[in-house]
Amino acid sequence: MKPIDRRTFNQMMAKGSAGAAILSAAPFACAMGSTQEKQKLGIALVGLGSYSTYQLAPALQDTQHCYLAGIVTGTPEKEKAWATKYGIPKGNIYNYDNFENIANNDAIDVVYVVLPNSMHAEFAIRAAKAGKHVICEKPMGISVAECDAIIDACKKAGVKLGMGYRLHSEPYTQQVKQFVKDKTFGDIQYVGAEAAYRSTGNPDQWRLNKKLSGGGALMNMGVYAIQSAIYGTGKNPISVSAQEFSTRPDYFKDTDETIMAQFEFPSGAVANMSTSHNFNANSMYVSGTSGWFQLQPANNYGPLRGRTSRGEELKFPHESQQKLQMDDFAKHVLFGEPNKATGEMGKRDMMIVEAIYASIAKGGQTMGLDFEPGFGFGG
Ligand code: NAD
């Protein structure tokens, strides 16, 4: 039997004619009934900006265990364009005001929050209260208190929570984690991590507005460098000290431009991270007692590249990181597979972000960090 495509399937759902198709079209035997019975989860994207438009929606056309079921937008003009392009039924389109009605929509299992950072907590919590699983973009919120509120809301509602940390589903990053776990290059002594790009666009964009972003380079790209330092050592840090640099105060009026920070780990390993909205940098370098490995680039949409002190080039086939990430989350929900990017991971990173800002406020003073062993490490 010829499989139907997603767009046709959605249109049939809208007309109420999909029942027969569900019975006969195994690839999409999914969109009704409880999560346990489904093979594919319906995802609703909240916030249809550039990440949803150019990465997540296209990736959802290729995912195996989830599909683009709905949208939530504050911009009415986007509704028709998205409905037409992706065959989204009218009943699966929401705005910020009627979003709560999503609770009554069985076609939507997961709400993916892709809004400016200061809106993540509000929408993640509203989604959880509506009984939907939640994927939250990075950074999880703009404070540890917001991360706690999201985690609590998801626990109370009995829904799953994942972070949009796509690199945990990506093969080069998974190889890094494996090298560290297997001690392939001995005990790790040093990680250098950089995640930065030069911002020259509209100075009024939300990323440069602290109220909406929560902070500048550190909130945006810094979380990648923090993550690299942690999966590069395989441990959470026990302290951090940090410095801020500013060269374009007229452009970066409200948010940090460049931040560097140094971490200490329980083993004695150290890491140095840089993040910026003023220069381009994208790498991680890990040195152990018997060799080194490196990713450059380390945190863009790929393909990443890697090499090691043994003279080898790391080579993995390229697939959309977003596709892999959303499928991994769907497999966590559907089949109980490990959650690779947990809410605790998002909270841990925000605890480190807050410690970095606190260190800068105190002139670079070393701030202690006290995590339970393994806190924030996904499966
Ligand atoms: P964007 O500016 O392109 O889109 C933001 C969306 O939010 C737009 O649809 C806009 O209409 C909507 N919005 C609602 N209220 C708004 C307000 N008050 N001000 C501005 N926009 C408002 O941003 P983006 O690049 O899509 O980023 C969205 C989120 O996704 C951010 O949290 C960002 O950190 C995250 N992100 C993650 C990755 C990743 O690789 N994981 C990549 C890009 C963005």
Side-chain angles (χ1 to χ4, degrees):
M1 202 204 77
K2 192 169 170 266
I4 52 174
D5 64 26
R6 168 56 43 204
R7 189 164 180 276
T8 312
F9 178 79
N10 278 341
Q11 282 164 348
M12 291 166 80
M13 287 294 288
K15 288 182 199 142
S17 59
I22 288 170
L23 291 175
S24 57
F28 295 123
C30 58
M32 287 174 179
S34 71
T35 296
Q36 286 78 5
E37 294 159 5
K38 294 183 180 186
Q39 292 301 307
K40 274 192 168 220
L41 298 180
I43 293 194
L45 296 174
V46 188
L48 308 179
S50 65
Y51 196 53
S52 286
T53 303
Y54 301 113
Q55 302 301 328
L56 297 176
L60 279 164
Q61 306 315 300
D62 294 328
T63 37
Q64 270 184 300
H65 299 287
C66 46
Y67 69 99
L68 180 58
I71 49 174
V72 184
T73 177
T75 316
E77 307 83 71
K78 290 183 186 167
E79 293 182 8
K80 191 159 178 263
W82 277 69
T84 309
K85 183 162 186 191
Y86 292 113
I88 298 169
K90 204 162 185 280
N92 292 2
I93 299 177
Y94 297 86
N95 58 45
Y96 299 157
D97 296 325
N98 67 17
F99 174 57
E100 269 67 25
N101 297 342
I102 211 164
N104 307 317
N105 190 336
D106 285 344
I108 292 167
D109 305 285
V110 179
V111 168
Y112 194 155
V113 181
V114 204
L115 289 162
N117 307 341
S118 67
M119 300 169 77
H120 291 183
E122 178 195 335
F123 280 84
I125 292 166
R126 286 170 74 182
K129 285 185 174 164
K132 304 300 174 185
H133 305 293
V134 178
I135 307 177
C136 184
E137 254 317 317
K138 46 67 47 180
M140 188 170 181
I142 59 170
S143 66
V144 173
E146 285 194 352
C147 299
D148 277 331
I150 296 172
I151 291 169
D152 285 354
C154 290
K155 272 197 188 131
K156 267 194 197 115
V159 298
K160 308 278 191 194
L161 169 62
M163 285 295 300
Y165 283 142
R166 55 189 160 75
L167 294 172
H168 288 273
S169 299
E170 184 282 329
Y172 290 81
T173 308
Q174 288 176 338
Q175 179 66 76
V176 162
K177 288 159 83 173
Q178 200 61 45
F179 281 155
V180 173
K181 192 170 172 213
D182 297 346
K183 294 186 187 258
T184 311
F185 296 91
D187 293 320
I188 305 305
Q189 295 165 313
Y190 171 74
V191 178
E194 301 173 324
Y197 67 82
R198 183 168 167 82
S199 176
T200 54
N202 179 2
D204 296 326
Q205 62 184 284
W206 68 260
R207 280 190 173 83
L208 305 182
N209 173 339
K210 194 170 178 193
K211 207 161 166 263
L212 288 166
S213 61
L218 183 62
M219 282 279 181
N220 185 22
M221 299 304 288
V223 290
Y224 292 109
I226 291 170
Q227 286 253 318
S228 292
I230 292 174
Y231 54 68
T233 55
K235 295 275 183 289
N236 285 326
I238 51 172
S239 76
V240 64
S241 50
Q243 310 80 39
E244 180 175 358
F245 302 87
S246 167
T247 62
R248 294 157 66 202
D250 291 346
Y251 183 71
F252 299 107
K253 286 193 179 69
D254 203 23
T255 57
D256 45 280
E257 176 186 320
T258 296
I259 285 179
M260 300 195 183
Q262 302 76 44
F263 299 102
E264 265 186 298
F265 292 86
S267 61
V270 290
N272 195 20
M273 67 156 268
S274 309
T275 188
S276 181
H277 275 162
N278 190 47
F279 57 76
N280 297 310
N282 183 341
S283 71
M284 70 180 292
Y285 172 85
V286 183
S287 178
T289 44
S290 57
W292 54 264
F293 54 95
Q294 179 181 43
L295 294 186
Q296 186 173 26
N299 48 57
N300 62 8
Y301 301 150
L304 305 187
R305 291 186 65 185
R307 60 197 190 101
T308 78
S309 54
R310 300 188 296 212
E312 67 207 327
E313 284 273 335
L314 303 178
K315 277 268 172 246
F316 298 100
H318 181 61
E319 279 192 278
S320 154
Q321 297 171 358
Q322 290 80 7
K323 171 194 162 211
L324 297 170
Q325 169 218 321
M326 290 186 282
D327 266 341
D328 276 343
F329 183 74
K331 286 189 272 182
H332 169 60
V333 174
L334 286 167
F335 315 126
E337 292 193 12
N339 187 352
K340 293 202 165 105
T342 61
E344 280 73 19
M345 183 184 282
K347 173 183 165 174
R348 175 202 62 195
D349 296 349
M350 191 54 53
M351 289 168 80
I352 294 171
V353 163
E354 286 193 353
I356 287 174
Y357 283 133
S359 170
I360 290 166
K362 293 189 174 176
Q365 191 178 308
T366 300
M367 310 303 291
L369 291 160
D370 188 14
F371 295 108
E372 296 283 314
F375 181 79
F377 280 81

